[in-house]
Amino acid sequence: MFDTSKLSTCQIVCWGLSGLVGLIVLWAATGAVGFLAALLLAIAFAALLGLASTRLVCAGDKASIPEAEAAAAPDPAPAPDPAPAAEPTASAATAEPSAPAEESPATAVRSGTTLSGEEELASRKGEWRYEGGASGQPAAARPEALDGPRDGKADDLKKIKGVGPKLEKVCNELGFYHFDQIANWTEAEVAWVDDNLKGFKGRVSRDNWVEQAKTLAAGGETEFSTRVGKGDVY
């Protein structure tokens, strides 16, 4: 059944008037369309009229219903007081720190005792000499230079990958004109040239000049020197 306990007075009146209008429609339309069709039309008309009238006329009553229910609701029971925190026990507060472990005394070394490796160091005393820089690299040594090219004709150092026209001129100024000079450089001499190529430091080792020069000094060709000979590079 339809529960009217949740309806306000305004809604009951609106629905009652809608039902009355539905009866009037049923009576008026029965002769024209028949009783069954008139009944359906009356129910639909009464439902639409009831919904529209309650939304338009009784909007204020709907808002007041939740407020009245909230006012009638009982107050929530107060929460119990929290239990007091337990006080720290006296044993924890008065606990004494543990005593640090005693350090073992260092073993004393008697005067005149020969330490491990001391005899070997003594036998090699005066034989060792420093042969490297701060980074462990071999000490730099300037390679043998020439005052000019042999027979007045220098090798085309540009066939070495990494040596361009400007760098070839720098090498000539330092007295390096031929492949066999570069091919015979030691690590110490490579280090010296790397440090003294103004604007091109490190190029000797980075581009591996010595290995290329060995091939060229022996009359061979590299892939790069072949391209230079064909004019594809410079």
Side-chain angles (χ1 to χ4, degrees):
M1 295 182 64
F2 187 71
D3 187 6
T4 61
S5 61
K6 296 182 179 181
L7 298 178
S8 63
T9 303
C10 177
Q11 291 175 321
I12 294 174
V13 171
C14 290
W15 280 109
L17 292 176
S18 299
L20 181 61
V21 172
L23 291 176
I24 295 174
V25 172
L26 175 63
W27 175 76
T30 299
V33 297
F35 177 77
L36 183 59
L39 178 61
L40 295 175
L41 180 63
I43 293 173
F45 189 82
L48 291 175
L49 181 60
L51 291 174
S53 61
T54 53
R55 286 181 178 274
L56 295 175
V57 179
C58 304
D61 291 346
K62 289 182 179 180
S64 62
I65 292 175
E67 295 179 0
E69 292 178 353
D75 295 335
D81 295 335
E87 296 182 358
T89 59
S91 58
T94 58
E96 296 182 358
S98 58
E102 295 183 359
E103 298 181 357
S104 58
T107 304
V109 179
R110 295 181 179 179
S111 176
T113 302
T114 302
L115 300 178
S116 176
E118 184 176 355
E119 294 181 357
E120 182 181 356
L121 290 174
S123 63
R124 297 178 59 185
K125 185 177 181 181
E127 296 180 1
W128 180 86
R129 61 187 178 89
Y130 179 72
E131 296 180 349
S135 60
Q137 297 296 329
R142 177 167 182 161
E144 182 180 355
L146 299 176
D147 295 333
R150 303 188 194 102
D151 300 328
K153 186 177 181 181
D155 292 334
D156 186 4
L157 300 183
K158 296 188 298 297
K159 288 186 176 182
I160 298 176
K161 186 176 181 181
V163 180
K166 291 183 179 180
L167 191 48
E168 183 183 40
K169 183 178 180 180
V170 174
C171 290
N172 293 160
E173 291 174 352
L174 293 174
F176 311 131
Y177 300 92
H178 302 283
F179 296 134
D180 59 350
Q181 286 181 275
I182 300 174
N184 293 322
W185 284 349
T186 63
E187 291 186 10
E189 291 171 338
V190 169
W192 186 93
V193 180
D194 269 339
D195 290 339
N196 288 273
L197 290 177
K198 296 180 180 179
F200 301 94
K201 289 187 176 183
R203 294 298 294 270
V204 180
S205 55
R206 184 166 68 241
D207 293 323
N208 200 8
W209 287 11
V210 174
E211 293 300 323
Q212 296 183 67
K214 287 179 180 179
T215 301
L216 297 173
E221 293 287 342
T222 64
E223 184 272 337
F224 183 79
S225 67
T226 302
R227 291 171 53 199
V228 174
K230 292 180 180 179
D232 296 339
V233 180
Y234 304 108

